[in-house]
Amino acid sequence: MEDLTDLLPVESIRLDVRADDWAEAIRIAGGLMVETGVTTDEYTGEMVANVEENGPYIVIAPGVAFAHSRPSPAVLKTGMSWVRLAEPVEFGHESNDPVTLVVALAAQDSGAHTAAMGSLARLLGDPDTAAALGSAPTPEALHAVLTGDGPAPVGTAPQKTAATPGAKASSMHKILTVCGNGVGTSLFLKNTLEQVLDRWGWSAFITVEATDTISAKGKASEAVALITSREIARTLGDVGRPVKVIQDFTSTAEVDAALRDTYDV
């Protein structure tokens, strides 16, 4: 399983780039993946079309967009690119605009990059590391931050509790994290939720599955709850299970609150 630095070489990083709008920002990120042999030009168009179809759900945290689309023949190998903008651009997100960082992912399947997504979620969720990434003067310096061990993720850590899902937990519970394609932002959210479950001591009772909107509708009956963005929640509609909206996919505090609400803790 490839890690973050395998998927994001120095050649895939550009800093202080100018873009006129969100679509151009995605095209710049896509162009880097074309240059490094990760995708063809068609995949860049697919990433833009994903936002046009599903809305700006890819803006996963304040100032951060995670551009991606489904695995397709346009993906030659799994890889990523990193574009820090000189001036922020609007994606149309209700709370996380404007965007200064566009990270793009092209995945050949839904599993090979799971560890990399977990690493990236932890890095962006740590204020000190995020600040270091935001101020790195060169691609080489930024890549050095990515390769370092880095500080542990921070945030409002929930208090550990001896409570469990209780009588409801006669069998393993499932929570679905949902995005448009099931290979990008849902994995960010899955990682953050699993961090919270680990802190609670509930990982033995709840499994987390990252999935796409179409699959989520079919799997909803198996889940205790679905956790997603506001845009994807609107697409899902009424699935017969609680749908919890998260604005910042890297925030353990926000995910903690959603989990507490789900289980009335």
Side-chain angles (χ1 to χ4, degrees):
M1 186 172 290
E2 294 175 292
D3 64 23
L4 182 58
T5 53
D6 291 329
L7 300 180
L8 187 62
V10 172
E11 294 77 15
S12 295
I13 300 170
R14 293 288 185 277
L15 305 181
D16 304 324
V17 177
R18 297 194 176 275
D20 290 335
D21 55 27
W22 67 266
E24 185 179 1
I26 290 178
R27 291 189 184 102
I28 292 169
L32 284 173
M33 292 196 294
V34 173
E35 290 176 14
T36 52
V38 171
T39 66
T40 67
D41 288 326
E42 285 75 14
Y43 186 77
T44 300
E46 291 168 7
M47 291 194 294
V48 173
N50 181 38
V51 178
E52 293 173 338
E53 178 181 353
N54 296 304
Y57 79 92
I58 67 167
V59 187
I60 58 170
V64 180
F66 189 65
H68 64 288
S69 188
R70 296 179 183 276
S72 78
V75 179
L76 306 178
K77 62 181 180 179
T78 299
M80 301 173 67
S81 65
W82 183 290
V83 175
R84 193 175 73 197
L85 299 173
E87 298 290 340
V89 298
E90 299 281 339
F91 273 66
H93 196 279
E94 294 180 9
S95 60
N96 291 337
D97 268 345
V99 167
T100 55
L101 172 62
V102 178
V103 180
L105 166 73
Q108 287 190 305
D109 58 62
S110 60
H113 59 295
T114 302
M117 293 303 94
S119 298
L120 185 56
R122 288 188 292 273
L123 289 169
L124 294 177
D126 174 68
D128 292 335
T129 306
L133 293 169
S135 61
T138 65
E140 291 78 11
L142 189 144
H143 197 261
V145 176
L146 296 177
T147 58
D149 291 334
V154 298
T156 305
Q159 297 297 314
K160 282 195 174 182
T161 173
T164 70
K168 297 179 182 179
S170 56
S171 60
M172 177 72 79
H173 280 203
K174 179 186 288 186
I175 295 177
L176 300 178
T177 60
V178 188
C179 73
N181 301 292
V183 297
T185 57
S186 59
L187 286 174
F188 263 83
L189 193 51
K190 177 179 185 289
N191 178 269
T192 305
L193 176 56
E194 287 175 341
Q195 289 182 57
V196 175
L197 291 172
D198 286 345
R199 292 177 181 179
W200 282 30
W202 280 22
S203 296
F205 305 100
I206 300 173
T207 184
V208 184
E209 181 179 344
T211 189
D212 62 273
T213 50
I214 295 173
S215 299
K217 292 179 180 181
K219 297 177 179 179
S221 62
E222 307 169 6
V224 173
L226 294 79
I227 302 182
T228 189
S229 66
R230 191 176 305 279
E231 292 82 6
I232 297 300
R234 290 170 180 156
T235 300
L236 287 171
D238 183 2
V239 293
R241 291 290 187 271
V243 177
K244 306 294 182 180
V245 170
I246 301 297
Q247 298 287 1
D248 183 348
F249 281 24
T250 67
S251 172
T252 55
E254 189 175 352
V255 172
D256 174 85
L259 190 64
R260 289 181 185 276
D261 185 60
T262 299
Y263 284 99
D264 194 25
V265 173

